[in-house]
């Protein structure tokens, strides 16, 4: 939730920067955005999640591009690359540092006592192959997964989700689920391309932030199930709506306004 908020903070910061450039200086808005960015940064550093540290690299890079403007140039791209490399170095240092462990903020890389994520993925993939083309039914994971476990390795805990939506959805929904995933990916790709390559002068910061947020959620779904939580599911729906909307304030630009811009 903190990670996907970064591009929206960048969008707001970019808007405030433009307002300052035309003389509309709002110190309160700048301070609030700065405080939000600081709190999010501290929260991300302290979360102890390897997935967050990895995803923070593209999140920071794309947020820089959103902040710099609608059509970033070579300089902006180099700045984003530098920010991504710096964030990658910080993430690596945090993941290897004993500081988080001393503060009690890190998490064991073996999230489950009996099974690691690769093992869960392998068993889920085997279940997918066994139940194609129609799947096992929506919500049936906890009933089906134990059939592919080694009884000698079963302990007091059980696996409630596959921690990989690209395996669990095909398991439960079969080929129709795979088709839905493919269509969703195509829709996001087409809409993101239109938003990021648009030549019109409308304000597309929020649309870009929404496309980045959905990308981060989709990437995190490789190792977890963020969209099965109510807060992130609602945010994902909002992002989809924003990506389908028009940029700017919705007003039709007059010939005089266009002439002034040109």
């Amino acid at each position: 939730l903190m990670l996907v908020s970064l591009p929206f903070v960048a969008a707001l910061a970019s808007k405030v920067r433009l307002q300052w450039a035309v003389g509309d200086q709002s110190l309160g808005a700048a301070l609030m955005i700065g405080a939000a960015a600081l709190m999010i940064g501290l929260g991300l550093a302290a979360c102890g999640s390897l997935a967050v540290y990895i995803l923070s690299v593209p999140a920071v890079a794309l947020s820089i591009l959103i902040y710099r403007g609608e059509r970033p140039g070579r300089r902006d791209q180099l700045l984003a690359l530098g920010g991504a490399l710096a964030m990658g170095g910080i993430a690596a240092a945090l993941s290897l540092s004993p500081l988080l462990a001393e503060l009690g903020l890190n998490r064991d890389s073996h999230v489950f006592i009996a099974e690691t994520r690769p093992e869960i993925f392998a068993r889920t993939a085997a279940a997918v192959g066994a139940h194609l083309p129609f799947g096992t039914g929506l919500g049936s994971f906890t009933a089906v997964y134990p059939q592919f476990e080694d009884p000698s390795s079963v302990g007091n805990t059980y696996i409630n989700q596959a921690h990989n939506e690209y395996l669990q959805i095909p398991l439960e929904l079969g080929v129709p689920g795979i088709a839905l995933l493919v269509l969703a990916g195509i829709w996001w790709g087409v809409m993101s391309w239109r938003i990021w390559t648009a030549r019109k002068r409308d304000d597309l910061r929020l649309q870009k932030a929404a496309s980045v947020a959905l990308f981060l959620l989709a990437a995190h779904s490789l190792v977890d199930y963020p969209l099965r939580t109510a807060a992130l599911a609602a945010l994902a729906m909002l992002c989809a709506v924003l990506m389908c909307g028009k940029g700017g304030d919705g007003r039709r630009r007059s010939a005089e306004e266009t002439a002034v811009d040109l």
Side-chain angles (χ1 to χ4, degrees), residues 113-200:
I113 298 175
E115 298 179 272
T116 63
R117 273 180 168 77
E119 292 173 336
I120 298 172
F121 298 163
R123 292 190 176 99
T124 305
V128 171
H131 291 91
L132 284 177
F134 301 112
T136 60
L138 190 63
S140 62
F141 177 84
T142 54
V144 173
Y145 183 84
Q147 302 173 22
F148 295 83
E149 288 184 297
D150 179 5
S152 64
S153 66
V154 175
N156 294 327
T157 61
Y158 73 98
I159 309 303
N160 64 332
Q161 306 286 356
H163 291 263
N164 185 322
E165 293 294 352
Y166 306 101
L167 289 175
Q168 184 163 341
I169 290 177
L171 170 62
E172 295 183 343
L173 298 180
V175 173
I178 296 174
L180 287 175
L181 286 174
V182 172
L183 289 175
I186 293 174
W187 173 84
W188 177 87
V190 171
M191 295 301 296
S192 296
W193 176 262
R194 290 179 179 176
I195 291 169
W196 283 86
T197 61
R199 295 184 178 275
K200 59 183 180 179

Side-chain angles (χ1 to χ4, degrees), residues 35-48:
L38 177 61
M39 294 299 295
I40 291 171
L42 292 175
L44 292 175
C47 72

Side-chain angles (χ1 to χ4, degrees), residues 44-102:
L44 292 175
C47 72
S49 170
L50 182 58
V52 166
Y53 293 154
I54 294 174
L55 290 176
S56 65
V57 176
V60 169
L62 293 171
S63 295
I64 290 175
L65 293 180
I66 293 173
Y67 174 77
R68 293 293 292 175
E70 289 190 11
R71 297 186 63 81
R74 181 63 60 84
R75 179 181 177 184
D76 301 323
Q77 294 172 2
L78 292 176
L79 180 62
L81 178 60
L85 292 176
M87 193 64 202
I90 294 173
L94 286 171
S95 61
L96 298 174
S97 173
L99 178 60
L100 295 179
E102 293 174 359

Side-chain angles (χ1 to χ4, degrees), residues 212-236:
V212 173
L214 280 182
F215 162 75
L216 295 173
L217 289 169
H220 193 203
S221 295
L222 285 167
V223 293
D224 225 321
Y225 48 96
L227 294 179
R228 293 178 186 268
T229 62
L232 289 176
L235 178 59

